[in-house]
Amino acid sequence: YTLSLHDALPISSARLDREKFPRLEFLVTVTDSGVPALGANCTVIVNITDANDNNPVFTEAVYFSTVNENSANNTSVVQVMANDIDSGINGMVLYSLETQPRSVPFSIDPNTGLVSSSGLIDFEAQSLYLVNVVASDGGGRFDKSILNISVVDENDNYPVINPTTYNVSVFENLTINDAIVTVLAKDNDSGIFSQVNFAFSNGNNDGIFFISSSSGVITLIKPLDRETKDFHRLEVQVMDGGGLKSKNSAVVEVDRKS
């Protein structure tokens, strides 16, 4: 500060920063021109009023988190935080998600910054969410960060066999290890939960056929004998890597040609 010689008002001579110096205190001395000079001292205290000159600042540019598929509503997902060094209303931070209402299955507590689940979380529908989160102070300043939320798959889909009926005609002279037909199945989960394993559930009591557990290919492992049996009806079931069995079965009807 400098002091006006005319009215003794303190005048700031540099930019004031309340965040560095919220209170200034200095001694003012006044003297007259007499001989001897007489003077007096006084202490001047200046309290700096805050201006909203600082943005809120998030502690992270990107917040990474995971959430389990099918999580119940109000499951905590991630905590975000922003700081504003202004005071009073200028330093109060409110949080929001920069999305259309109900466009993502998440909500944020405007006061605490806790992000929670608020809708159906389905890995098969969407496995990753990138959402802007906004921190706003009471004076209109704001900062943005990104939520990177990965959905963890659950084994919530049964393997499905399609088609379920296979009609195959083969010659009696079919050789051992020849492929007859391939049973098809799919599981909409991911990773190990999407792996399907095939097995006979009925009809292969004679052990004439073999099915690859991983591919569903059925091959002949014993000679066919039309005079003994000219028709075979096999049933195939599928299990995924998480232990869920298909609700339907495949029926493979093998007819021998002469």
Side-chain angles (χ1 to χ4, degrees), residues 1-2 10-28 42-49:
Y1 275 92
T2 59
I11 301 173
S12 61
S13 58
R15 182 178 180 274
L16 300 178
D17 189 344
R18 190 206 63 84
E19 285 71 43
K20 291 182 178 179
F21 303 104
R23 171 186 165 109
L24 299 174
E25 184 174 328
F26 49 89
L27 183 68
V28 175
C42 73
T43 299
V44 177
I45 298 173
V46 180
N47 292 310
I48 309 300
T49 302

Side-chain angles (χ1 to χ4, degrees), residues 45-248:
I45 298 173
V46 180
N47 292 310
I48 309 300
T49 302
D50 186 42
N52 191 30
D53 57 346
N54 292 283
N55 291 332
V57 178
F58 276 105
T59 57
E60 302 287 344
V62 181
Y63 290 88
F64 293 92
S65 187
T66 60
V67 62
N68 289 332
E69 181 181 20
N70 300 319
S71 290
N73 284 353
N74 299 317
T75 297
S76 297
V77 178
V78 62
Q79 175 73 58
V80 302
M81 181 177 293
N83 298 308
D84 192 313
I85 60 176
D86 289 316
S87 66
I89 192 172
N90 294 332
M92 293 176 59
V93 177
L94 294 177
Y95 302 92
S96 61
L97 299 181
E98 196 174 55
T99 61
Q100 296 297 320
R102 299 182 181 177
S103 61
V104 296
F106 305 105
S107 60
I108 189 168
D109 187 305
N111 298 304
T112 66
L114 178 64
V115 179
S116 305
S117 59
S118 60
L120 177 64
I121 300 173
D122 186 353
F123 177 89
E124 286 70 42
Q126 190 166 344
S127 61
L128 176 67
Y129 291 89
L130 298 175
V131 182
N132 285 338
V133 57
V134 182
S136 304
D137 67 19
R141 288 180 173 267
F142 63 90
D143 190 22
K144 292 184 180 182
S145 183
I146 298 173
L147 302 181
N148 184 311
I149 303 173
S150 298
V151 180
V152 179
D153 189 28
E154 287 192 345
N155 193 29
D156 58 343
N157 289 282
Y158 289 87
V160 176
I161 300 172
N162 188 33
T164 57
T165 302
Y166 300 81
N167 297 301
V168 183
S169 295
V170 298
F171 290 101
E172 188 174 359
N173 62 355
L174 192 71
T175 59
I176 302 301
N177 294 326
D178 281 349
I180 296 174
V181 68
T182 300
V183 178
L184 302 177
K186 183 181 180 182
D187 191 305
N188 286 329
D189 289 312
S190 66
I192 191 172
F193 297 144
S194 68
Q195 297 176 10
V196 291
N197 298 285
F198 300 83
F200 290 121
S201 57
N202 198 16
N204 193 38
N205 297 332
D206 299 331
I208 296 175
F209 303 97
F210 170 81
I211 186 168
S212 169
S213 62
S214 59
S215 67
V217 175
I218 297 176
T219 55
L220 184 71
I221 58 174
K222 288 184 179 180
L224 291 174
D225 186 352
R226 182 182 177 85
E227 286 68 34
T228 303
K229 192 174 183 180
D230 61 0
F231 178 80
H232 298 269
R233 187 179 189 276
L234 307 170
E235 293 183 12
V236 176
Q237 195 169 45
V238 177
M239 179 184 294
D240 68 19
L244 290 181
K245 293 183 179 180
S246 56
K247 294 183 177 181
N248 58 349

